[in-house]
Amino acid sequence: MFISSTRMDLADERRALTDALLKNQFIPVGMEQFGARTDGAWPIIKRFIDECDFYVLVIAGLYGSLRQETGFSYTESEYEYATQAKKPVLAFVHEDISALPAAKVERNAAKRKKLAAFTARVEADLVRATWRDTGDLVVEVTSALNQAMQDNSAVGWIRGDAVPEQFGLLNDDLIKPCTRLGIQQVSVDGVAGPAMPENLARARTIRIMSTSAVRLLEIYREPLAAALRAGGHIRALLPDPQGAFIADVEEAESLYTPRGANISDEITIVRHRLLDVLGYARSSPTSLPQDSVGTVEIGYFTTHLRSTLVLCDDRWGWLTLTLPPARAPETASLVLNGGERSLLNTCVRHFDRTWEVTAARNSTEQLSP
């Protein structure tokens, strides 16, 4: 259980809470485990949150120490990271700040404003409990955690000799093959998270193969433009707007999806959005020379599995296994790492060969804003 709160005003409450959680067979972790807070400690804090099953947030009268790189408190930064990591969050807000001693109430006007905004955000995001004193807080937290353990599956901690023998079979049949193929992660909801923009922004060559890629270009306009400003190149493979493939996909999905824009219309939108990304990169406030900005090309294929493939050089990839009638958010995606025999390497070779085929029949174009 990761306990997140300010330090100076809640030291007694944290000690009492830690003792109570240990007695209830929980393993509490928090600032006591990594000492003084500096921005250098932030990776350690994130690792602790990653390893925990539940995140417990306690808010009282202080906003807390600020992270230099963000201007937000460590407590709010921890909350932000825990929600991004999809940890079950339990929040406990002091019911009456005016009843606290003056030393435990924020005096700095800017920090008071930040604390009020943070508290309002937590109250809007979560069903939170209130507390008035240390004993009350201990009861509320332990009770909520016991209930949460029943409502949410959690990894927890077990003895090493208690691992079932079946784990060895699981490791041989699933984990080892995925490792050999370079499958780093499986996303069951098609959400890429921060890895996608980070890898797009620093890629020298970006390959995109998709039936439309409308949402992809809408969401990642900024990192795509950043890659172009650094001299990177984008190649997008899209279906031929007049080809039979699109007609077949639309017919296959017509019984399961609401009528809207045809895929051929979406491809026109994709072309405009790629032009927009290129124009945005060239209009950079840093006044880059025009010839230093990378290029954008489109190729049109005639047959393709209805999936989305994003490749950043030969080191990172994102493959969404879209199988109609399901749409992309309803199907799994794979995060791919490089390697000679990796699935990523196979995807790169598949993309490059498909590009060669489209180029040979003059079905590619270089965009110019």
Side-chain angles (χ1 to χ4, degrees):
M1 316 296 165
F2 188 94
I3 304 174
S4 178
S5 75
T6 48
R7 178 197 296 265
M8 295 182 62
D9 57 330
L10 296 176
D12 293 340
E13 287 82 356
R14 292 183 66 89
R15 281 193 294 270
L17 194 53
T18 297
D19 290 343
L21 292 179
L22 288 170
K23 290 177 181 178
N24 280 269
Q25 298 184 342
F26 296 117
I27 304 176
V29 297
M31 63 183 68
E32 294 84 0
Q33 278 68 46
F34 43 79
R37 291 191 175 191
T38 67
D39 278 354
W42 181 243
I44 302 174
I45 295 172
K46 292 199 297 182
R47 179 168 61 83
F48 271 116
I49 294 174
D50 287 337
E51 293 176 353
C52 283
D53 295 304
F54 294 91
Y55 173 89
V56 176
L57 172 65
V58 181
I59 298 178
L62 294 183
Y63 184 61
S65 303
L66 303 182
R67 291 185 62 205
Q68 293 182 355
E69 61 185 41
T70 65
F72 293 103
S73 71
Y74 276 90
T75 305
E76 184 165 4
S77 299
E78 290 163 358
Y79 172 74
E80 176 74 21
Y81 184 77
T83 55
Q84 290 178 357
K86 298 183 179 180
K87 296 293 181 179
V89 176
L90 305 175
F92 303 86
V93 179
H94 197 281
E95 67 178 21
D96 185 8
I97 301 298
S98 64
L100 293 171
K104 295 187 176 184
V105 177
E106 198 63 71
R107 299 179 182 179
N108 181 285
K111 282 191 171 184
R112 283 202 306 272
K113 186 176 180 180
K114 284 180 177 288
L115 176 61
F118 176 38
T119 304
R121 175 189 174 190
V122 171
E123 291 177 336
D125 290 347
L126 304 168
V127 176
R128 87 293 183 274
T130 59
W131 62 281
R132 57 186 178 275
D133 56 36
T134 303
D136 186 39
L137 176 64
V138 167
V139 171
E140 290 288 344
V141 172
T142 53
S143 175
L145 279 173
N146 279 306
Q147 183 61 49
M149 288 287 290
Q150 299 179 33
D151 297 339
N152 296 274
S153 59
V155 177
W157 293 87
I158 60 174
R159 290 176 54 89
D161 58 5
V163 177
E165 293 183 5
Q166 287 81 358
F167 179 78
L169 297 175
L170 181 66
N171 187 53
D172 291 339
D173 294 341
L174 182 62
I175 298 176
K176 285 183 178 179
C178 285
T179 301
R180 285 197 298 270
L181 289 171
I183 299 174
Q184 180 186 19
Q185 180 184 346
V186 178
S187 173
V188 296
D189 57 4
V191 177
M196 178 74 84
E198 290 171 2
N199 282 282
L200 287 173
R202 60 192 181 97
R204 298 294 298 173
T205 300
I206 298 171
R207 301 170 176 90
I208 300 172
M209 191 174 193
S210 178
T211 307
S212 87
V214 170
R215 284 285 293 155
L216 180 77
L217 297 176
E218 176 185 350
I219 297 171
Y220 300 113
R221 177 176 183 253
E222 184 61 50
L224 288 168
L228 291 173
R229 292 189 195 109
H233 305 280
I234 299 174
R235 280 185 170 179
L237 276 171
L238 305 171
D240 181 350
Q242 307 304 319
F245 170 72
I246 288 182
D248 289 346
V249 170
E250 290 179 341
E251 179 65 23
E253 297 181 357
S254 61
L255 297 178
Y256 305 97
T257 58
R259 299 300 296 177
N262 295 326
I263 298 177
S264 55
D265 296 331
E266 293 181 3
I267 293 170
T268 302
I269 295 172
V270 168
R271 189 177 186 278
H272 288 316
R273 286 189 175 169
L274 284 169
L275 283 168
D276 171 67
V277 169
L278 182 57
Y280 180 53
R282 292 192 173 188
S283 64
S284 168
T286 56
S287 301
L288 294 171
Q290 292 294 302
D291 58 0
S292 70
V293 176
T295 60
V296 178
E297 298 175 274
I298 298 180
Y300 298 96
F301 55 76
T302 56
T303 183
H304 173 52
L305 180 67
R306 189 171 180 5
S307 296
T308 296
L309 182 63
V310 179
L311 304 170
C312 297
D313 301 319
D314 57 356
R315 56 178 172 74
W316 189 88
W318 177 263
L319 174 61
T320 300
L321 306 172
T322 308
L323 299 172
R327 307 291 289 191
E330 301 170 324
T331 53
S333 295
L334 306 179
V335 178
L336 308 176
N337 281 333
E340 183 178 349
R341 300 183 62 185
S342 67
L343 182 57
L344 175 63
N345 182 262
T346 302
C347 290
V348 169
R349 289 189 286 113
H350 170 66
F351 183 99
D352 289 347
R353 179 55 185 153
T354 306
W355 186 269
E356 289 175 2
V357 171
T358 57
R361 65 167 185 268
N362 297 318
S363 295
T364 63
E365 62 171 322
Q366 181 170 323
L367 300 186
S368 178

